[in-house]
Amino acid sequence: MLQQLDYLEFVDLYHSCIKMFHVKDAEFRPTGRQGVYGGYQPGKSSGRFRSPGDGQVDFSAIFSKLTQYEFPGWAVLEWECCIKSSEQGAAEGALLFSGISFRRRGELLMISRVRGGSTGNRRMLGLD
């Protein structure tokens, strides 16, 4: 998103090389004063990271493409946002992706998984 790359075509072109999907949302909102090459003030730049689900990335389309190509790896959620707190963003991100699954030729694929983490983090996310 921040590179203004067609990420769905990227999956089409390089699916055989993709071993892990780093789930991170972003938005790109250029103005008359800021575009790809300018404006790096925290929270005020035209391209910035957002909590998963709050940006412009179409995760459903990405997960569908990865399923189409029988993606064997993991989707790993990383939270970074210029607006929300880390506690709220992590909890919402875990809920957003915890139920994503697709069927591939009669087989259920869980593309998004939450594993590991400290006991405090797991409790905060409602996993314990």
Side-chain angles (χ1 to χ4, degrees):
M1 178 62 60
L2 298 181
Q3 295 178 29
Q4 294 297 286
L5 180 76
D6 183 337
Y7 52 85
L8 296 177
E9 185 177 358
F10 181 91
V11 174
D12 287 333
L13 294 169
Y14 301 107
H15 61 88
S16 64
C17 301
I18 300 172
K19 305 302 179 201
M20 190 272 288
F21 171 45
H22 189 134
V23 178
K24 196 168 185 176
D25 211 344
E27 65 184 3
F28 184 71
R29 304 202 184 280
T31 69
R33 296 178 189 262
Q34 296 179 343
V36 174
Y37 299 115
Y40 292 98
Q41 296 177 359
K44 296 180 181 178
S45 67
S46 56
R48 57 194 190 169
F49 291 113
R50 295 300 314 273
S51 281
D54 290 349
Q56 296 170 314
V57 176
D58 185 350
F59 290 110
S60 182
I62 292 172
F63 288 136
S64 291
K65 283 217 175 268
L66 292 173
T67 301
Q68 171 189 341
Y69 292 116
E70 300 182 6
F71 173 63
W74 287 86
V76 179
L77 171 65
E78 178 186 341
W79 176 87
E80 182 176 347
C81 186
C82 59
I83 297 173
K84 283 187 180 174
S85 72
S86 58
E87 294 83 8
Q88 180 182 1
E92 290 175 359
L95 288 174
L96 182 65
F97 295 106
S98 66
I100 293 178
S101 63
F102 294 92
R103 292 208 177 268
R104 176 183 68 202
R105 291 186 231 140
E107 163 188 356
L108 182 63
L109 279 183
M110 290 303 294
I111 292 182
S112 178
R113 301 177 179 121
V114 178
R115 295 182 50 156
S118 71
T119 303
N121 288 344
R122 292 182 61 79
R123 191 174 331 137
M124 179 182 71
L125 294 172
L127 300 173
D128 283 339

